[in-house]
Short mmCIF file of all heavy atoms in Angstrom, two decimals:
data_model
loop_
_atom_site.label_atom_id
_atom_site.label_comp_id
_atom_site.label_asym_id
_atom_site.label_seq_id
_atom_site.Cartn_x
_atom_site.Cartn_y
_atom_site.Cartn_z
N ASP A 88 -3.79 10.40 -3.59
CA ASP A 88 -4.95 11.17 -4.05
C ASP A 88 -4.59 12.65 -4.23
O ASP A 88 -4.94 13.27 -5.24
CB ASP A 88 -6.10 11.04 -3.05
CG ASP A 88 -6.71 9.64 -3.03
OD1 ASP A 88 -6.42 8.86 -3.95
OD2 ASP A 88 -7.46 9.33 -2.07
N LYS A 89 -3.86 13.18 -3.27
CA LYS A 89 -3.53 14.61 -3.28
C LYS A 89 -2.65 14.97 -4.47
O LYS A 89 -2.84 16.00 -5.12
CB LYS A 89 -2.83 14.99 -1.98
CG LYS A 89 -2.44 16.47 -1.89
CD LYS A 89 -1.83 16.80 -0.53
CE LYS A 89 -1.44 18.27 -0.47
NZ LYS A 89 -0.86 18.63 0.85
N PHE A 90 -1.67 14.12 -4.76
CA PHE A 90 -0.71 14.43 -5.83
C PHE A 90 -1.01 13.65 -7.12
O PHE A 90 -0.17 13.59 -8.02
CB PHE A 90 0.71 14.14 -5.36
CG PHE A 90 1.18 15.11 -4.29
CD1 PHE A 90 1.14 14.74 -2.94
CD2 PHE A 90 1.62 16.37 -4.62
CE1 PHE A 90 1.56 15.63 -1.96
CE2 PHE A 90 2.04 17.26 -3.65
CZ PHE A 90 2.00 16.89 -2.31
N GLU A 91 -2.21 13.07 -7.18
CA GLU A 91 -2.70 12.38 -8.38
C GLU A 91 -1.75 11.28 -8.84
O GLU A 91 -1.36 11.19 -10.01
CB GLU A 91 -2.96 13.40 -9.50
CG GLU A 91 -4.03 14.42 -9.13
CD GLU A 91 -4.30 15.42 -10.24
OE1 GLU A 91 -3.43 15.57 -11.11
OE2 GLU A 91 -5.39 16.03 -10.23
N LYS A 92 -1.35 10.46 -7.86
CA LYS A 92 -0.52 9.29 -8.13
C LYS A 92 -1.39 8.04 -8.13
O LYS A 92 -2.37 7.97 -7.38
CB LYS A 92 0.56 9.15 -7.05
CG LYS A 92 1.51 10.34 -6.95
CD LYS A 92 2.50 10.34 -8.08
CE LYS A 92 3.48 11.49 -7.95
NZ LYS A 92 4.40 11.55 -9.11
N PRO A 93 -1.06 7.05 -8.93
CA PRO A 93 -1.85 5.81 -8.92
C PRO A 93 -1.73 5.12 -7.56
O PRO A 93 -0.66 5.10 -6.95
CB PRO A 93 -1.23 4.96 -10.02
CG PRO A 93 0.14 5.52 -10.24
CD PRO A 93 0.04 6.99 -9.92
N TYR A 94 -2.85 4.59 -7.07
CA TYR A 94 -2.86 3.93 -5.76
C TYR A 94 -3.56 2.59 -5.87
O TYR A 94 -4.66 2.48 -6.40
CB TYR A 94 -3.57 4.80 -4.73
CG TYR A 94 -3.83 4.09 -3.41
CD1 TYR A 94 -2.80 3.92 -2.48
CD2 TYR A 94 -5.09 3.57 -3.10
CE1 TYR A 94 -3.02 3.26 -1.28
CE2 TYR A 94 -5.32 2.91 -1.91
CZ TYR A 94 -4.28 2.75 -1.00
OH TYR A 94 -4.50 2.09 0.19
N SER A 95 -2.89 1.58 -5.36
CA SER A 95 -3.49 0.25 -5.26
C SER A 95 -3.34 -0.20 -3.81
O SER A 95 -2.21 -0.30 -3.30
CB SER A 95 -2.77 -0.73 -6.20
OG SER A 95 -3.32 -2.03 -6.06
N GLU A 96 -4.44 -0.43 -3.16
CA GLU A 96 -4.41 -0.75 -1.73
C GLU A 96 -3.65 -2.05 -1.47
O GLU A 96 -3.81 -3.04 -2.18
CB GLU A 96 -5.83 -0.88 -1.19
CG GLU A 96 -5.87 -1.16 0.32
CD GLU A 96 -7.27 -1.33 0.86
OE1 GLU A 96 -8.23 -1.33 0.05
OE2 GLU A 96 -7.41 -1.47 2.09
N ILE A 97 -2.83 -2.02 -0.42
CA ILE A 97 -2.15 -3.22 0.05
C ILE A 97 -2.92 -3.69 1.28
O ILE A 97 -2.73 -3.16 2.38
CB ILE A 97 -0.67 -2.95 0.38
CG1 ILE A 97 0.05 -2.40 -0.85
CG2 ILE A 97 0.02 -4.22 0.89
CD1 ILE A 97 1.47 -1.91 -0.58
N THR A 98 -3.80 -4.64 1.10
CA THR A 98 -4.64 -5.10 2.21
C THR A 98 -3.88 -6.10 3.07
O THR A 98 -2.82 -6.60 2.69
CB THR A 98 -5.93 -5.77 1.68
OG1 THR A 98 -5.56 -7.04 1.11
CG2 THR A 98 -6.61 -4.91 0.63
N ASP A 99 -4.47 -6.42 4.21
CA ASP A 99 -3.83 -7.40 5.09
C ASP A 99 -3.99 -8.83 4.57
O ASP A 99 -3.57 -9.78 5.22
CB ASP A 99 -4.34 -7.28 6.53
CG ASP A 99 -5.85 -7.45 6.64
OD1 ASP A 99 -6.49 -7.84 5.64
OD2 ASP A 99 -6.39 -7.19 7.73
N LYS A 100 -4.60 -8.97 3.40
CA LYS A 100 -4.69 -10.28 2.75
C LYS A 100 -3.49 -10.55 1.83
O LYS A 100 -3.26 -11.67 1.39
CB LYS A 100 -5.98 -10.37 1.91
CG LYS A 100 -7.26 -10.11 2.68
CD LYS A 100 -7.50 -11.18 3.74
CE LYS A 100 -8.89 -10.99 4.35
NZ LYS A 100 -8.84 -10.60 5.74
N VAL A 101 -2.73 -9.48 1.54
CA VAL A 101 -1.56 -9.60 0.68
C VAL A 101 -0.41 -10.22 1.46
O VAL A 101 -0.17 -9.85 2.62
CB VAL A 101 -1.15 -8.21 0.14
CG1 VAL A 101 0.16 -8.28 -0.63
CG2 VAL A 101 -2.26 -7.62 -0.73
N GLU A 102 0.30 -11.13 0.84
CA GLU A 102 1.44 -11.74 1.52
C GLU A 102 2.49 -10.68 1.85
O GLU A 102 2.81 -9.83 1.03
CB GLU A 102 2.07 -12.82 0.63
CG GLU A 102 3.22 -13.57 1.31
CD GLU A 102 3.86 -14.61 0.40
OE1 GLU A 102 3.43 -14.73 -0.76
OE2 GLU A 102 4.78 -15.30 0.87
N ASP A 103 3.00 -10.72 3.09
CA ASP A 103 4.02 -9.77 3.55
C ASP A 103 3.53 -8.32 3.45
O ASP A 103 4.28 -7.40 3.13
CB ASP A 103 5.31 -9.96 2.75
CG ASP A 103 6.54 -9.44 3.49
OD1 ASP A 103 6.48 -9.30 4.73
OD2 ASP A 103 7.56 -9.17 2.83
N PHE A 104 2.25 -8.11 3.76
CA PHE A 104 1.64 -6.79 3.57
C PHE A 104 2.31 -5.70 4.39
O PHE A 104 2.44 -4.57 3.92
CB PHE A 104 0.13 -6.85 3.90
CG PHE A 104 -0.18 -7.12 5.34
CD1 PHE A 104 -0.29 -6.10 6.27
CD2 PHE A 104 -0.39 -8.43 5.78
CE1 PHE A 104 -0.59 -6.37 7.60
CE2 PHE A 104 -0.68 -8.70 7.11
CZ PHE A 104 -0.79 -7.66 8.03
N ARG A 105 2.75 -6.02 5.60
CA ARG A 105 3.35 -4.98 6.45
C ARG A 105 4.61 -4.40 5.80
O ARG A 105 4.75 -3.18 5.68
CB ARG A 105 3.68 -5.54 7.83
CG ARG A 105 4.38 -4.56 8.77
CD ARG A 105 4.46 -5.11 10.20
NE ARG A 105 5.38 -4.36 11.02
CZ ARG A 105 5.10 -3.21 11.62
NH1 ARG A 105 3.90 -2.65 11.47
NH2 ARG A 105 5.97 -2.59 12.39
N ALA A 106 5.50 -5.26 5.36
CA ALA A 106 6.73 -4.80 4.71
C ALA A 106 6.41 -4.05 3.42
O ALA A 106 7.02 -3.00 3.13
CB ALA A 106 7.65 -5.98 4.43
N LYS A 107 5.47 -4.57 2.64
CA LYS A 107 5.14 -3.94 1.36
C LYS A 107 4.50 -2.57 1.54
O LYS A 107 4.75 -1.64 0.76
CB LYS A 107 4.24 -4.86 0.54
CG LYS A 107 4.98 -6.08 0.00
CD LYS A 107 4.06 -7.05 -0.71
CE LYS A 107 4.85 -8.25 -1.25
NZ LYS A 107 3.98 -9.28 -1.83
N ARG A 108 3.68 -2.42 2.58
CA ARG A 108 3.09 -1.10 2.87
C ARG A 108 4.19 -0.09 3.18
O ARG A 108 4.18 1.05 2.70
CB ARG A 108 2.13 -1.21 4.07
CG ARG A 108 0.80 -1.86 3.76
CD ARG A 108 0.01 -2.07 5.05
NE ARG A 108 -1.35 -2.53 4.78
CZ ARG A 108 -2.23 -2.87 5.73
NH1 ARG A 108 -1.88 -2.82 7.01
NH2 ARG A 108 -3.44 -3.27 5.39
N ILE A 109 5.14 -0.52 4.01
CA ILE A 109 6.22 0.38 4.42
C ILE A 109 7.11 0.75 3.24
O ILE A 109 7.44 1.93 3.04
CB ILE A 109 7.03 -0.27 5.57
CG1 ILE A 109 6.19 -0.25 6.86
CG2 ILE A 109 8.37 0.44 5.79
CD1 ILE A 109 6.74 -1.09 7.99
N THR A 110 7.48 -0.21 2.43
CA THR A 110 8.29 0.06 1.24
C THR A 110 7.58 1.06 0.32
O THR A 110 8.19 2.05 -0.14
CB THR A 110 8.57 -1.23 0.46
OG1 THR A 110 9.28 -2.15 1.29
CG2 THR A 110 9.41 -0.95 -0.79
N SER A 111 6.31 0.82 0.06
CA SER A 111 5.56 1.68 -0.86
C SER A 111 5.43 3.09 -0.32
O SER A 111 5.55 4.07 -1.07
CB SER A 111 4.17 1.09 -1.10
OG SER A 111 4.26 -0.17 -1.73
#
């Protein structure tokens, strides 16, 4: 939001969400 970058939430319903959150 601060740097006006596109954001798509990685919810806990996404497969392998923990790893994907960290990578992103």
Side-chain angles (χ1 to χ4, degrees):
D88 291 346
K89 180 177 180 179
F90 291 99
E91 299 181 339
K92 300 284 182 184
Y94 170 77
S95 177
E96 183 182 5
I97 302 172
T98 72
D99 58 10
K100 304 295 188 247
V101 173
E102 184 182 2
D103 202 21
F104 66 88
R105 177 170 167 81
K107 288 175 179 174
R108 285 173 173 176
I109 288 168
T110 300
S111 298

